[in-house]
Amino acid sequence: MKRKCLLLLAALGLSAGFLYAGGPVENNGGFRPFISVKTNLVYWTTAMPDFNSYTFVPNLEAEYFFCDRWSVAGTGNYAKWGYGDGKFFGISSWSLEPRWWIWGDGRYRWIYVGLYGQMGDYDVQNGGDGQFGYTGPFWSTGLSFGVTVPFSKRLGVELGVRAGYRQSEINGYSYEAPEYFRDYTETGRHWGVTGLKISFYYRFGKGSM
């Protein structure tokens, strides 16, 4: 998983360099997006920001565009179910991310940088005999960077990475049917990459169809 993440980061850097060197591409027809909806395929493939694989996580993002080079994206993730040999994974989170687009032509193409904040809670249970798990709330904040690659005026893919600080409350517990017992509580802290994104998007807007 970590090797795949490093390859994705390298691809992001190469893509950004290529797009910057090539300059902005004209969007024939003058389509100007107003709002975009998207979903992150990384979460659907079971990979989480801690670089562990659990189960697929449904997620939805909406992004509102304004003032030619600004936008704000809101994202929600939710999953609470068991999978395989009594294992359980749950997460409920939301985030907001203001973005600044480099080209500033009102078409929101190619490279953006942003600042994000995220809050949520989680529950992970190992399953099998001698069940144990950990649960608690978490929050994260930091910077984002990404590139969008349009397939058409409305459809495209977005590649992104988040890096910053994540803090979580870790309540370790054990399960002896039918009761759960809290064994310890500690604080988890992480500096570094906190999220990866490969999202398909569809944009609504004004201008040529």
Side-chain angles (χ1 to χ4, degrees):
M1 178 60 65
K2 290 185 177 180
R3 180 176 295 178
K4 292 180 180 179
C5 293
L6 290 174
L7 289 174
L8 178 57
L9 290 175
L12 282 171
L14 290 173
S15 298
F18 173 77
L19 293 172
Y20 185 80
V25 176
E26 288 302 319
N27 185 349
N28 295 328
F31 178 75
R32 294 174 68 88
F34 170 69
I35 196 167
S36 174
V37 293
K38 61 191 85 171
T39 189
N40 187 354
L41 301 183
V42 174
Y43 288 174
W44 287 101
T45 60
T46 78
M48 288 287 98
D50 61 1
F51 304 124
N52 287 317
S53 178
Y54 300 102
T55 184
F56 71 95
V57 176
N59 64 94
L60 184 65
E61 179 179 341
E63 184 173 10
Y64 171 69
F65 305 99
F66 60 98
C67 295
D68 289 337
R69 67 164 72 238
W70 291 92
S71 67
V72 59
T75 306
N77 309 310
Y78 182 84
K80 287 189 183 295
W81 44 60
Y83 67 103
D85 193 29
K87 296 180 180 180
F88 179 85
F89 178 78
I91 187 169
S92 177
S93 72
W94 62 270
S95 69
L96 284 177
E97 182 180 324
R99 294 174 173 177
W100 182 79
W101 294 78
I102 288 180
W103 302 131
D105 58 5
R107 296 172 184 174
Y108 305 96
R109 300 162 296 163
W110 311 121
I111 302 172
Y112 71 82
V113 292
L115 176 68
Y116 79 91
Q118 182 180 29
M119 297 183 66
D121 57 68
Y122 69 95
D123 188 359
V124 179
Q125 190 168 306
N126 74 314
D129 297 330
Q131 289 186 348
F132 65 90
Y134 43 95
T135 184
F138 70 91
W139 64 271
S140 179
T141 188
L143 302 175
S144 63
F145 171 82
V147 296
T148 60
V149 181
F151 302 147
S152 69
K153 297 179 180 67
R154 297 179 182 273
L155 292 171
V157 65
E158 177 183 323
L159 309 177
V161 61
R162 286 177 170 180
Y165 176 73
R166 181 174 64 237
Q167 180 171 308
S168 57
E169 180 180 307
I170 304 172
N171 296 300
Y173 65 85
S174 55
Y175 175 64
E176 298 179 16
E179 302 293 338
Y180 291 86
F181 300 92
R182 185 169 65 180
D183 299 322
Y184 64 88
T185 297
E186 62 185 32
T187 300
R189 298 180 176 87
H190 170 75
W191 286 95
V193 176
T194 56
L196 297 171
K197 172 186 290 188
I198 304 175
S199 293
F200 281 117
Y201 68 75
Y202 182 86
R203 289 178 170 182
F204 301 86
K206 298 183 295 183
S208 172
M209 296 297 291

